[in-house]
Amino acid sequence: MDNSQNIGKEIYDGSARLGRIVTLILAIFLTILGIASFIVGILILNNHDKWTEIQGTLAGINYSPTGQCAVISNKYNCYLSFKYTLNGQSQMVSVKYTGSEPYYVGQVVSLYFKDNNFATFALDAPVPRSRGWLYIVFGIILVVVGWLWYHITKKNKVLAAGQGASAV
């Protein structure tokens, strides 16, 4: 073997070694992301309470004589008082609001309360359970793809060299 072949083989072997190291780091990184995604999915599934939606009419905006929320840093900031009817009885609830959507007196909006606890209201819809499953599946896919790619580049020197050359 002459010198040019030795140099080419050294470059090829070095690139393959680098490719295997890069794919190992990638697999570890994807494993960490996959585990985090899996944990978020489990948290969503475990913390998913039964929320009930009702329609409420905005009866008043507290701390605002103009009937509009104060704007602070491009967000509305105020307490909104809603009137709603539940089981034939008219009720009032006050909800702290900091968001980008304006609300006006007389506007009908969806209110969500948790597990028949009428003191716990939210203006935003709860996170659906399906999103928890989506995070879990996504986490599993990340881990499997990361380690599958590592295994493939460990067995196939050409792919490992290509991975190493792309990392340079």
Side-chain angles (χ1 to χ4, degrees), residues 139-151:
I140 292 170
I141 289 172
L142 283 177
V143 172
V144 168
V145 166
W147 289 104
L148 182 66
W149 183 244
Y150 172 72
H151 179 71

Side-chain angles (χ1 to χ4, degrees), residues 11-81:
I11 292 172
Y12 178 71
D13 290 342
S15 180
R17 278 192 303 275
L18 178 63
R20 289 182 179 126
I21 291 170
V22 167
T23 55
L24 177 62
I25 292 169
L26 179 68
I28 292 170
F29 180 72
L30 289 178
T31 300
I32 292 169
L33 281 179
I35 290 171
S37 178
F38 191 84
I39 290 170
V40 168
I42 294 293
L43 288 174
I44 289 173
L45 290 177
N46 284 341
N47 292 328
H48 190 273
D49 297 314
K50 186 175 185 295
W51 289 80
T52 304
E53 179 182 358
I54 60 171
Q55 297 298 311
T57 303
L58 183 55
I61 299 174
N62 301 346
Y63 310 118
S64 176
T66 62
Q68 293 183 340
C69 290
V71 179
I72 301 171
S73 300
N74 294 327
K75 289 205 176 232
Y76 294 96
N77 188 10
C78 57
Y79 283 89
L80 304 175
S81 296

Side-chain angles (χ1 to χ4, degrees), residues 49-129:
D49 297 314
K50 186 175 185 295
W51 289 80
T52 304
E53 179 182 358
I54 60 171
Q55 297 298 311
T57 303
L58 183 55
I61 299 174
N62 301 346
Y63 310 118
S64 176
T66 62
Q68 293 183 340
C69 290
V71 179
I72 301 171
S73 300
N74 294 327
K75 289 205 176 232
Y76 294 96
N77 188 10
C78 57
Y79 283 89
L80 304 175
S81 296
F82 291 96
K83 185 177 184 178
Y84 64 96
T85 304
L86 188 66
N87 298 330
Q89 292 184 350
S90 184
Q91 306 280 336
M92 288 286 286
V93 66
S94 184
V95 178
K96 182 174 174 42
Y97 176 67
T98 53
S100 58
E101 183 180 334
Y103 286 100
Y104 301 98
V105 174
Q107 182 177 0
V108 177
V109 297
S110 292
L111 296 171
Y112 301 91
F113 63 91
K114 185 188 334 187
D115 289 330
N116 293 326
N117 180 0
F118 303 111
T120 306
F121 274 88
L123 291 172
D124 299 320
V127 177
R129 285 182 66 86

